[in-house]
Amino acid sequence: MLPKEPFGKTGHKSTRAIFGAAALGNVSQKIANRTLEVLLQYGVNHIDTAASYGNAEKRIGPWMKKHRNKFFLATKTEKRTSEEAWAELNRSFEFMRVSQIDLWQMHLLVAPDEWETAMAKDGALEAFLRARDEGMVRFLGVTGHGITAPSMHLKSLERFPFDSVLFPLNYPLMKNPIYARDVEMLLSVCHDRTIAIQAIKSITRRPWLDDSRRTCNTWYEPLENPKDIDKAVHWVLGHPSVFVNTAADVGLLPKVLDSVSRFNTQTADHEMEDLHQRLQMSPLFE
């Protein structure tokens, strides 16, 4: 079974592996149901999806009638106005067949102009506050991809006390001194304020060098050897209270969950550097 930690100040103890439901975006319901069995086998108790993840919310819907109480359920919106975000939230409820979600997140909030729209009058933040006030959602978060995600999250936390953040965290990215500085600042703020921290792209090897040779559904080339996955995942989990969101591929899911289940100590930086050199790892974002 998987280790658990308090998910920020939500009162929920989440498994340190959170199911990244982007993996369900283009699979059949039959495959999705088999994926649920893997989650139950490992005791995963937290699902993270998004309105933009293809059919993921629809694939989750049939699970909820029987298993809703087993999962902390999170989704996201990329809409930046209050009206659009509110409409998308209601579609998410319809697709997932639920009457409440635990965490609603502003997705990919990294572009400055979109940030200004979301935080302004009639922006998405108004819909977020309404949904929380009306009991439709319990907690609010913000997510981001790209090199500016940590610094933009710091800006978002200055504007509003979000309950969680989500951003890329892996060894190749942290070799960028500017990114590493911003991540360390963000981690410090989150620890001081008991804000939940979710890490994505933990098992990134590099961008795909040849699209014709893609072996996984991920938009980056992932690590696939279990021993390599162990090193990368255990390095990320060595950061206190950080949760690993699993990769967007159902085939990789058991490997990542197995790795998290065996976490004990953080992979040393020199071991990660050896892995980095041996596999010619490189950052997704420059």
Side-chain angles (χ1 to χ4, degrees):
M1 300 298 281
L2 301 173
K4 297 177 182 177
E5 289 269 355
F7 190 72
K9 52 183 175 288
T10 65
H12 187 262
K13 280 194 171 183
S14 293
T15 46
R16 291 198 73 188
I18 294 171
F19 175 52
L24 303 179
N26 60 3
V27 303
S28 67
Q29 190 63 52
K30 183 177 180 180
I31 292 175
N33 291 344
R34 289 206 299 265
T35 302
L36 171 63
E37 294 304 318
V38 175
L39 301 183
L40 296 176
Q41 174 189 347
Y42 281 92
V44 175
N45 68 359
H46 189 141
I47 294 173
D48 181 75
T49 189
S52 58
Y53 289 172
N55 290 320
E57 290 184 330
K58 291 181 179 179
R59 296 292 176 254
I60 290 167
W63 303 356
M64 290 298 103
K65 183 176 181 180
K66 184 177 180 181
H67 299 288
R68 177 66 185 93
N69 64 351
K70 290 184 174 69
F71 296 106
F72 186 96
L73 183 61
T75 194
K76 315 180 190 77
T77 181
E78 293 180 41
K79 303 302 183 183
R80 303 307 184 214
T81 69
S82 177
E83 183 178 0
E84 290 174 319
W86 186 259
E88 188 159 80
L89 176 64
N90 281 276
R91 283 194 294 274
S92 294
F93 275 95
E94 179 184 350
F95 291 157
M96 294 193 290
R97 308 181 193 180
V98 296
S99 58
Q100 184 187 62
I101 61 171
D102 297 297
L103 175 66
W104 193 25
Q105 300 158 101
M106 291 193 190
H107 196 26
L108 299 176
L109 193 62
V110 291
D113 58 337
E114 293 185 16
W115 190 95
E116 293 292 345
T117 300
M119 299 297 179
K121 185 180 185 304
D122 298 324
L125 184 59
E126 290 187 1
F128 273 57
L129 293 173
R130 177 185 172 188
R132 188 180 65 179
D133 291 346
E134 294 186 10
M136 297 172 68
V137 305
R138 300 172 61 218
F139 304 103
L140 306 175
V142 63
T143 81
H145 295 206
I147 207 75
T148 63
S151 61
M152 288 301 294
H153 287 350
L154 286 165
K155 182 178 179 180
S156 293
L157 292 174
E158 289 178 2
R159 174 67 175 82
F160 182 80
F162 287 100
D163 300 297
S164 70
V165 297
L166 179 153
F167 60 94
L169 181 58
N170 56 57
Y171 185 80
L173 266 179
M174 290 293 279
K175 288 176 70 67
N176 179 323
I178 296 174
Y179 191 80
R181 177 203 64 194
D182 293 342
V183 167
E184 293 300 334
M185 290 175 61
L186 179 60
L187 292 176
S188 178
V189 168
C190 289
H191 289 144
D192 289 346
R193 301 182 190 177
T194 321
I195 297 167
I197 305 161
Q198 303 169 84
I200 57 173
K201 300 181 173 49
S202 301
I203 61 169
T204 300
R205 179 181 179 183
R206 60 193 176 194
W208 287 110
L209 301 181
D210 183 351
D211 280 348
S212 68
R213 295 186 178 183
R214 284 178 178 259
T215 56
C216 299
N217 189 52
T218 49
W219 62 273
Y220 54 88
E221 182 181 347
L223 301 172
E224 296 188 65
N225 181 285
K227 291 183 179 180
D228 297 338
I229 288 174
D230 276 357
K231 285 184 170 61
V233 167
H234 294 178
W235 184 82
V236 172
L237 289 176
H239 295 78
S241 302
V242 171
F243 296 84
V244 168
N245 289 48
T246 61
D249 184 273
V250 293
L252 290 170
L253 179 63
K255 294 181 181 181
V256 175
L257 295 182
D258 182 63
S259 180
V260 174
S261 74
R262 292 180 288 99
F263 172 69
N264 185 19
T265 57
Q266 185 176 35
T267 305
D269 281 353
H270 70 86
E271 293 183 76
M272 288 304 301
E273 185 61 28
D274 289 344
L275 183 70
H276 184 271
Q277 296 297 328
R278 175 168 59 84
L279 296 182
Q280 298 180 310
M281 298 169 73
S282 60
L284 279 177
F285 314 110
E286 299 289 350

